[in-house]
């Protein structure tokens, strides 16, 4: 009986766990850390973010931005991605360098690709004020027209115009915008002769 209890093969010793190799998600997280100069989630203030068109540049000439974003607070959301609060964005005309200003409560941007603003969005286009729920901007490529758009309801106010529409496209290079399903009033002043 004693031989059956105490004798026999010795219990196997615990083997150390195999060393885990970093997976793709871990590598992406490390790349995001490197891209932001710190961990994702880093917050910054007092900086500006820029979008440039993707058309090939002229050697020796600096590319000019097509969109500039200034905000109270920027937070890194991953590799070259940012979220921000209390934003002031400026769509810059490639032809005249004139700026259309857009304000929003919040937004996000992926460098070299796109930006999205939302929450009490107001765009100032010369004397016109445009109120939107959100607006999206895609970085233009290969000389394509630069545009921003919203597929949600929009209102346009100007000294001689009050319009409501279901969507809008903004083209700052041509100083024009397009509305769909429009209703409202436009006042025409009669010229004195």
């Amino acid at each position: 009986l004693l031989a059956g209890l105490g004798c026999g093969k010795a219990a196997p010793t615990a083997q150390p766990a195999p060393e885990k190799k970093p997976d793709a998600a871990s590598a992406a997280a490390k790349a995001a850390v490197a891209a932001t100069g710190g961990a994702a989630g880093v917050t910054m203030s007092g900086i500006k973010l820029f979008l440039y068109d993707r058309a090939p540049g002229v050697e020796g000439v600096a590319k000019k931005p097509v969109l500039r974003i200034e905000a109270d607070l920027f937070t890194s959301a991953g590799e070259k991605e940012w979220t921000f609060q209390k934003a002031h964005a400026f769509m810059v005309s490639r032809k005249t360098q004139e700026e259309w200003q857009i304000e929003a409560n919040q937004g996000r941007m992926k460098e070299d690709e796109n930006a999205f603003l939302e929450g009490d969005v107001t765009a100032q286009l010369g004397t016109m004020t445009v109120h939107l729920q959100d607006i999206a901007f895609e970085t233009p490529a290969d000389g394509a027209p630069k545009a921003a758009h919203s597929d949600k309801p929009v209102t346009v106010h100007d000294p001689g115009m009050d319009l409501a529409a279901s969507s809008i496209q903004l083209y700052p290079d041509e100083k024009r915008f397009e509305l769909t399903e429009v209703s409202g009033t436009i006042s025409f002043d009669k010229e004195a002769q």
Side-chain angles (χ1 to χ4, degrees):
L1 185 63
L2 290 175
L5 290 175
C7 295
K9 293 184 179 177
T13 58
Q15 296 292 326
E19 189 175 318
K20 287 187 176 182
K21 294 183 179 179
D23 61 1
S26 175
K30 288 181 182 176
V33 169
T36 61
V42 169
T43 57
M44 295 182 219
S45 60
I47 65 170
K48 297 175 185 174
L49 298 178
F50 297 90
L51 282 180
Y52 297 88
D53 68 25
R54 290 181 255 174
V58 177
E59 189 175 328
V61 177
K63 286 180 107 177
K64 294 185 178 177
V66 293
L67 182 72
R68 179 178 83 245
I69 300 174
E70 301 171 4
D72 291 348
L73 184 67
F74 288 98
T75 302
S76 168
E79 187 173 359
K80 295 186 177 185
E81 291 186 46
W82 300 89
T83 61
F84 42 85
Q85 306 294 319
K86 301 293 180 197
H88 299 276
F90 302 88
M91 291 182 69
V92 184
S93 168
R94 291 182 286 198
K95 293 180 180 177
T96 66
Q97 295 304 300
E98 180 182 351
E99 296 179 333
W100 283 356
Q101 182 174 345
I102 302 170
E103 295 182 359
N105 288 341
Q106 61 206 20
R108 62 185 180 274
M109 181 180 128
K110 183 157 184 154
E111 292 179 39
D112 304 322
E113 290 187 27
N114 57 51
F116 181 77
L117 304 170
E118 63 184 340
D120 198 23
V121 180
T122 303
Q124 195 65 44
L125 317 176
T127 61
M128 284 185 290
T129 303
V130 181
H131 295 283
L132 314 110
Q133 293 177 30
D134 62 27
I135 191 160
F137 185 92
E138 299 290 328
T139 303
D142 301 328
K146 179 175 59 166
H149 70 276
S150 177
D151 294 326
K152 294 186 179 167
V154 56
T155 60
V156 179
H157 301 287
D158 192 56
M161 181 180 352
D162 279 307
L163 303 175
S166 63
S167 69
I168 190 169
Q169 289 269 109
L170 301 172
Y171 299 95
D173 288 348
E174 290 83 27
K175 290 186 172 184
R176 69 181 174 93
F177 63 93
E178 295 175 2
L179 301 169
T180 59
E181 299 178 16
V182 184
S183 64
T185 59
I186 298 175
S187 300
F188 297 98
D189 291 334
K190 184 177 180 182
E191 290 186 21
Q193 295 209 13

